[in-house]
Amino acid sequence: MEVGLFGPRYDAIAPEVIRAFEERQHLLPWVFLFEFCLFTIMFIVAKGRKQAKITRENEKVQVYSLFQRVVLLLNIVIMIYLFITGFSITFGNWTGGGYIPRLMRATHEVVGVAWIPVWFIVTVIAFKDHKYFVRPSSKIWHKFFLRGKYEPMNRINYYMYVAFGFLLVLSGFIIWFMFPDAATHAQTIQIKRFILFIHFMGSAIISFFTFETVYSYFVSVKGYIPGVITGKLPIEYLEQLRADVLEEDKDLLKR
């Protein structure tokens, strides 16, 4: 297969993969829709929806610092935007052209670069398996590191967020940074095309664990989102659903 973007024609790498992808690209939205519906059904059947019985609404404690709230909310907003704009790129033959799709595709790279430090900070502050860390001050420590311990599945979700998030930020940065010129157009495009498939694979895999995390924290447990926004959660909420937080930081109830 020969292509001629940005200069003379050249032989494409793995032409059978490119041809197969282009021929079946129109099926991708249906694949993702099926995946989303399947995951939703699995989560509802397996986990259902939990809700703490709150009788003392005013008895709340500060669980998230301002720094943690800003980072977590930034991570949520940026990932939502990257998913939407990423789908716009992947489903380009559905979304078509025009100013809005073009703007979404252009800003996907810029916002993706901005997500790199946010991803890194979340990776650090969400590392809860830190029993061997020396904590000079619990008060200062919990302003940066999140409280509590992971359940087994949520720990896996964290590891996958770190692993495939790293794959996404690395491949995305390379794709954004590299640009073909007259001397290296063929080699650059070949590398970017190869990395793009890696980027797409990483986004598809991280989607599952992101859906699992979102459902576990935001959907299956009522009341989590207001807690992230205000930083405070009812004591009864913690006692019934997040006892690990109280167990780790026994001074919470004294404040």
Side-chain angles (χ1 to χ4, degrees), residues 5 10-11 13 178-195:
L5 294 175
Y10 59 91
D11 292 329
I13 185 174
M178 296 181 68
F179 194 82
D181 56 33
T184 63
H185 71 280
Q187 297 89 337
T188 302
I189 292 175
Q190 299 281 40
I191 294 174
K192 291 182 70 169
R193 180 179 287 125
F194 174 72
I195 295 176

Side-chain angles (χ1 to χ4, degrees), residues 32-95:
F32 274 89
L33 179 62
F34 174 77
E35 178 188 28
F36 178 79
C37 293
L38 179 62
F39 290 162
T40 302
I41 294 172
M42 288 171 55
F43 295 153
I44 292 175
V45 172
K47 293 194 173 185
R49 183 169 169 82
K50 303 174 185 177
Q51 181 176 354
K53 296 181 180 179
I54 307 299
T55 59
R56 306 188 304 274
E57 180 67 29
N58 295 328
E59 294 186 10
K60 297 182 179 181
V61 291
Q62 190 79 27
V63 178
Y64 301 101
S65 67
L66 177 61
F67 170 76
Q68 293 169 343
R69 281 179 279 159
V70 171
V71 172
L72 291 176
L73 291 174
L74 265 178
N75 188 59
I76 293 169
V77 172
I78 291 177
M79 287 194 71
I80 290 174
Y81 186 80
L82 290 177
F83 272 118
I84 294 174
T85 54
F87 285 147
S88 175
I89 296 173
T90 305
F91 308 149
N93 59 341
W94 277 45
T95 56

Side-chain angles (χ1 to χ4, degrees), residues 39-206:
F39 290 162
T40 302
I41 294 172
M42 288 171 55
F43 295 153
I44 292 175
V45 172
K47 293 194 173 185
R49 183 169 169 82
K50 303 174 185 177
Q51 181 176 354
K53 296 181 180 179
I54 307 299
T55 59
R56 306 188 304 274
E57 180 67 29
N58 295 328
E59 294 186 10
K60 297 182 179 181
V61 291
Q62 190 79 27
V63 178
Y64 301 101
S65 67
L66 177 61
F67 170 76
Q68 293 169 343
R69 281 179 279 159
V70 171
V71 172
L72 291 176
L73 291 174
L74 265 178
N75 188 59
I76 293 169
V77 172
I78 291 177
M79 287 194 71
I80 290 174
Y81 186 80
L82 290 177
F83 272 118
I84 294 174
T85 54
F87 285 147
S88 175
I89 296 173
T90 305
F91 308 149
N93 59 341
W94 277 45
T95 56
Y99 177 75
I100 294 179
R102 181 181 178 183
L103 182 64
M104 293 174 68
R105 293 162 192 169
T107 55
H108 180 83
E109 293 185 351
V110 177
V111 176
V113 172
W115 183 59
I116 295 177
V118 177
W119 164 83
F120 179 76
I121 295 173
V122 172
T123 296
V124 173
I125 70 173
F127 184 64
K128 297 184 179 182
D129 299 337
H130 46 57
K131 61 181 179 180
Y132 298 112
F133 286 6
V134 177
R135 308 183 190 185
S137 171
S138 176
K139 184 177 181 180
I140 297 177
W141 178 273
H142 290 306
K143 287 185 179 296
F144 299 97
F145 291 91
L146 299 177
R147 292 178 170 87
K149 297 180 180 179
Y150 285 120
E151 295 179 357
M153 186 62 209
N154 290 332
R155 182 178 290 110
I156 293 175
N157 291 341
Y158 168 75
Y159 291 151
M160 294 301 103
Y161 171 84
V162 175
F164 289 99
F166 175 77
L167 186 67
L168 286 174
V169 299
L170 178 62
S171 59
F173 179 81
I174 294 175
I175 294 172
W176 169 79
F177 183 78
M178 296 181 68
F179 194 82
D181 56 33
T184 63
H185 71 280
Q187 297 89 337
T188 302
I189 292 175
Q190 299 281 40
I191 294 174
K192 291 182 70 169
R193 180 179 287 125
F194 174 72
I195 295 176
L196 184 61
F197 278 102
I198 298 177
H199 192 78
F200 177 75
M201 178 198 69
S203 63
I205 296 177
I206 202 175

